[in-house]
Amino acid sequence: MLVLLPPSEGKSAGGRGKPLDLTALSLPELGAARATVLDELVALCSGDEDDREKAREVLGLSEGLRGEIAKNAELRTAPARPAGEIYTGVLYDALGLATLSPAAKRRAARSLLVFSALWGAVGIKDRIPSYRLSGGVKLPGTGALGTYWRGHLDAALPEAAGGGLVLDLRSSAYAAMWKPKGELAKRTATVRVLQSKTVNGVEKRSVVSHFNKATKGRIVRALLEEGAAPRTPAALAATLRDLGYAVEEPSPTGLDVVVTEL
């Protein structure tokens, strides 16, 4: 099973460690494409005050996030840490990579890929620096990053997916970077988390960001700890029900997980 995760906008500080080595990242066939985006981002964020203001506008950063520009300018020399320690936020807190059992950690290293506007996709053990670049950004030279990465990932990911299930938990900006095709699309499951509330005796369902992210993190954690290896979306639905989730199947590859509380 291959699990596709979104990154987090906020990231932990790089701390101490050796700088980035692009050649050591997973999916090495993406090396040249990664270098292109990295070089443009570093150049964009370097320079005088006018240059930094342009970078802030291109990256869509608020005034309070201006410090992220200086961080991007130093990406080539900044300390790197495992991606699983860099990405933070609700989904990653619920996933709790650091507290997985040893066997589940090994499964996570084999099966989790985090999508990124800068790296394309990385494994959780890949050492990367903390950075700021969202999937919806359009760089002056490279262009829209969702479009840029699509062709490169089309060439790399089918082999990485192998013959098993692909569990796609990406948000829309990162789902645009790669869409499974053909036979692979039939064994790619997407999950929507719906919060169920009863109002005046009537059930109402809605997508709530916090519930969505936390539940997806818990689902991945449970699958890793269980050592589950479903090979089809229908088998995944059965596995999640066995794990205690309320699951509906509105389409052959789409699952709705219904929750009532966080």
Side-chain angles (χ1 to χ4, degrees):
M1 181 172 63
L2 182 67
V3 182
L4 310 181
L5 297 175
S8 56
E9 290 305 313
K11 300 170 184 68
S12 64
R16 296 181 179 179
K18 294 181 180 179
L20 171 72
D21 178 2
L22 279 179
T23 66
L25 299 182
S26 302
L27 304 174
E29 56 267 59
L30 299 179
R34 288 166 172 154
T36 295
V37 181
L38 178 62
D39 288 345
E40 182 173 2
L41 182 61
V42 170
L44 176 69
C45 294
S46 303
D48 59 21
E49 184 62 29
D50 288 343
D51 293 329
R52 292 193 293 273
E53 180 58 26
K54 177 184 177 182
R56 188 175 73 83
E57 293 174 359
V58 169
L59 300 178
L61 301 178
S62 66
E63 185 64 35
L65 292 174
R66 184 177 287 272
E68 299 291 288
I69 298 168
K71 183 166 70 176
N72 281 349
E74 298 175 353
L75 284 173
R76 285 284 189 183
T77 57
R81 292 167 56 197
E85 298 176 14
I86 292 291
Y87 294 114
T88 60
V90 175
L91 187 153
Y92 290 92
D93 287 346
L95 172 52
L97 289 167
T99 59
L100 290 172
S101 67
K105 286 181 178 177
R106 291 192 292 271
R107 295 181 192 113
R110 293 193 302 266
S111 63
L112 302 188
L113 273 183
V114 183
F115 272 61
S116 163
L118 178 52
W119 317 115
V122 291
I124 59 167
K125 291 289 188 181
D126 289 347
R127 297 179 62 84
I128 58 173
S130 181
Y131 67 95
R132 191 76 177 211
L133 184 64
S134 299
V137 166
K138 182 177 182 179
L139 292 176
T142 306
L145 291 170
T147 302
Y148 172 80
W149 280 113
R150 201 169 298 144
H152 298 291
L153 292 168
D154 274 343
L157 285 184
E159 182 177 351
L165 176 76
V166 176
L167 175 53
D168 188 353
L169 301 178
R170 297 172 295 165
S171 54
S172 57
Y174 296 95
M177 290 171 55
W178 178 65
K179 296 184 184 299
K181 298 179 178 67
E183 185 272 336
L184 182 55
K186 296 178 182 178
R187 53 184 168 88
T188 297
T190 58
V191 172
R192 181 174 64 165
V193 178
L194 300 175
Q195 182 191 14
S196 173
K197 285 185 177 181
T198 301
V199 181
N200 297 325
V202 178
E203 183 192 28
K204 295 184 180 294
R205 294 180 176 182
S206 59
V207 178
V208 179
S209 178
H210 195 76
F211 277 74
N212 178 57
K213 293 175 182 178
T215 302
K216 287 179 176 178
R218 292 186 185 124
I219 284 172
V220 176
R221 182 181 180 91
L223 292 171
L224 292 172
E225 289 289 6
E226 186 70 14
R231 297 186 66 83
T232 66
L236 173 64
T239 298
L240 292 179
R241 291 188 186 105
D242 290 342
L243 291 170
Y245 288 95
V247 181
E248 298 175 358
E249 300 173 68
S251 72
T253 59
L255 309 183
D256 283 350
V257 176
V258 183
V259 297
T260 57
E261 57 184 21
L262 190 59

